[in-house]
Amino acid sequence: MMLSQVTTEKEWMVTHGKGWWPRARRAPGLVLLIVLALVALTACGGSEEAEAGGLRLDEPWARPGLASPGQSTMSHDETDEATDDNSAHGGHGGGGTSAIFLTISNPGNEDDRLVAATTDVAEVVEIHRSTIDASGVMRMEPIDGVTIPAGGKAELKPGAEHIMLIGLTRDLEVGDRFSATLKFERAGEMTIEVEVREP
Amino acid sequence: MRRWIILTVAALVLVGGATAGAFAAGWLPFGGGSLHGSAIDPPLPIVDAPLIGADGSEVRLADFRGKVVVLYFGYTYCPDVCPTTLANVARALKELGKRAEDVQVVMITVDPDRDTPEITQEYVSRFDPSFVGLGGDVERIREVATGMGVYFEKQERGSAGGYLVDHTATVLVLDRNGDLRLMLPYGLTGEQIANDLRWALKQ
């Protein structure tokens, strides 16, 4: 992968190098170094990685969502009331939903378990699982945790387990970033930075 | 004699295999071999109960006749499967380019208690401004859904965020006459959906 990219860059230099970047031809070794560094940077920059307690959290992302979808019909009073007391209204205060997805790797020797999550961009944060049965019916349900097997990983992805954000307190636009804290049985709390992007 | 039998069987196997291969590769125009979804043949008439559009007016699916309608039953609180599907349908439209003008994407909410027609419209517009969101009376919505084999049911499973709605996640495609022509299972990519829509546009 890396090798082929370097070769492509080099080929590009050969065919396009003239006049574009004269130094490139004089110091091919330096160019190769720069290209390698760039490739390495790109590889790292593409994913958000966090490591603590032996777990590795890769590429956390969330869907875009609005704090107040279709709120034009709802008065501020109603919104505030619902925010203060979710359960009495059987739901959240009209804020939209989103979900956090990521891959959690566990290189350790013992299973760990994601049991909860918090973030200030949502009133309620739950761990949910979506399943699709043979007849195409989608079911989503709260679950009490996700196991990350020793030496394995858990993928929280669309159509499977995810961290559901209910009652967004602010709009999540593509490109936004926010932090969330995940709580694990063994590893304890880990804070991640989540990028909002299109699925 | 025995030789003839063996030769005949071999020939049949060859012809059969070649035909099956041609279907699989999509070389033969019939049989829907190149489709990712399942073709409905003959097309199935739908139950066209009145629904409500964002401006409060009555809307029936027959209003979109002349276009291929991509129909999805979902709800705006659905944070996972619905947005994935709608985003992939939006990608499919981009793939289709100019031909997308002959396609109308419609989402009917399965949660009309929380999703007014306006909220449903605002939700789908975020995926593509051309998408139409419809709401209305839950019984009318159920008639339309059941007519196409779509199931939905409110569930209370102890979520602090209020109830969730189980629903069929299949994408339905109506032909230009407004009949059910194609069913796309959950999980197809934008490209795969575009491929099947090209077929539906030719019908």
Side-chain angles (χ1 to χ4, degrees):
Chain A
M1 171 69 190
M2 247 164 78
L3 260 176
S4 72
Q5 258 177 294
V6 171
T7 316
T8 319
E9 288 282 346
K10 269 179 89 180
E11 280 166 1
W12 199 89
M13 289 297 179
V14 171
T15 48
H16 297 76
K18 210 175 187 180
W20 174 69
W21 196 13
R23 276 184 195 186
R25 301 173 72 216
R26 275 182 242 149
L30 183 70
V31 172
L32 196 67
L33 260 178
I34 292 171
V35 169
L36 276 172
L38 278 175
V39 168
L41 271 176
T42 321
C44 298
S47 66
E48 287 296 323
E49 288 175 19
E51 221 164 318
L55 294 181
R56 215 180 76 181
L57 311 186
D58 282 318
E59 286 200 58
W61 65 281
R63 298 177 186 289
L66 296 180
S68 51
Q71 280 289 289
S72 51
T73 52
M74 200 185 243
S75 80
H76 280 293
D77 287 347
E78 278 173 314
T79 314
D80 292 341
E81 204 184 327
T83 308
D84 292 338
D85 186 359
N86 291 318
S87 54
H89 292 261
H92 46 87
T97 60
S98 177
I100 300 175
F101 305 94
L102 76 159
T103 301
I104 306 166
S105 311
N106 180 5
N109 297 323
E110 284 173 294
D111 291 359
D112 205 339
R113 199 166 159 76
L114 170 68
V115 288
T118 52
T119 172
D120 58 7
V121 304
E123 290 163 19
V124 180
V125 183
E126 291 178 338
I127 304 168
H128 281 210
R129 175 169 52 214
S130 302
T131 49
I132 307 258
D133 70 16
S135 60
V137 175
M138 188 274 293
R139 292 193 166 82
M140 196 168 68
E141 57 188 346
I143 52 174
D144 56 12
V146 178
T147 300
I148 304 102
K153 60 184 179 179
E155 280 183 75
L156 279 67
K157 58 184 181 187
E161 283 90 0
H162 53 274
I163 298 165
M164 182 162 171
L165 309 179
I166 305 157
L168 295 180
T169 53
R170 66 173 175 91
D171 291 353
L172 299 181
E173 310 271 6
V174 172
D176 286 357
R177 283 167 178 276
F178 64 90
S179 66
T181 302
L182 310 190
K183 199 176 158 197
F184 296 93
E185 245 167 33
R186 285 180 179 281
E189 292 193 346
M190 293 172 73
T191 298
I192 48 169
E193 196 178 38
V194 183
E195 188 188 344
V196 180
R197 59 178 202 232
E198 294 291 353
Chain B
M1 185 59 194
R2 225 171 123 188
R3 217 169 121 197
W4 278 112
I5 293 170
I6 291 168
L7 274 175
T8 311
V9 168
L12 279 175
V13 166
L14 262 177
V15 171
T19 315
F23 270 124
W27 293 335
L28 295 177
F30 39 88
S34 63
L35 292 176
H36 300 281
S38 326
I40 313 285
D41 206 5
L44 186 75
I46 62 162
V47 178
D48 201 7
L51 304 169
I52 308 290
D55 60 356
S57 63
E58 189 178 293
V59 179
R60 284 172 195 267
L61 289 172
D63 297 347
F64 303 107
R65 270 182 198 163
K67 288 189 177 190
V68 165
V69 174
V70 178
L71 189 59
Y72 187 69
F73 290 84
Y75 66 118
T76 68
Y77 288 79
C78 169
D80 183 25
V81 167
C82 306
T84 305
T85 303
L86 290 170
N88 286 338
V89 170
R91 277 193 196 112
L93 286 202
K94 285 200 184 79
E95 287 264 327
L96 288 178
K98 194 140 178 64
R99 302 188 70 185
E101 288 169 15
D102 284 338
V103 177
Q104 179 62 58
V105 178
V106 177
M107 181 176 106
I108 299 176
T109 180
V110 291
D111 183 17
D113 288 351
R114 288 184 297 197
D115 292 346
T116 62
E118 297 96 306
I119 290 176
T120 312
Q121 179 63 57
E122 187 183 330
Y123 177 73
V124 296
S125 296
R126 274 163 35 209
F127 295 92
D128 188 304
S130 77
F131 285 11
V132 167
L134 299 177
D137 182 84
V138 69
E139 284 317 311
R140 301 289 87 75
I141 293 171
R142 198 174 293 283
E143 283 172 38
V144 177
T146 309
M148 298 182 207
V150 169
Y151 158 94
F152 65 91
E153 200 61 61
K154 242 189 227 188
Q155 294 297 343
E156 302 280 354
R157 290 206 191 90
S159 168
Y163 61 87
L164 300 165
V165 185
D166 292 349
H167 65 93
T168 304
T170 309
V171 173
L172 305 135
V173 179
L174 310 185
D175 62 18
R176 291 176 200 262
N177 296 324
D179 295 329
L180 183 59
R181 192 68 184 92
L182 189 60
M183 294 173 87
L184 309 176
Y186 168 76
L188 295 188
T189 64
E191 243 169 64
Q192 291 171 326
I193 296 170
N195 169 79
D196 282 19
L197 290 180
R198 276 186 206 105
W199 174 85
L201 283 162
K202 278 186 222 151
Q203 301 302 303

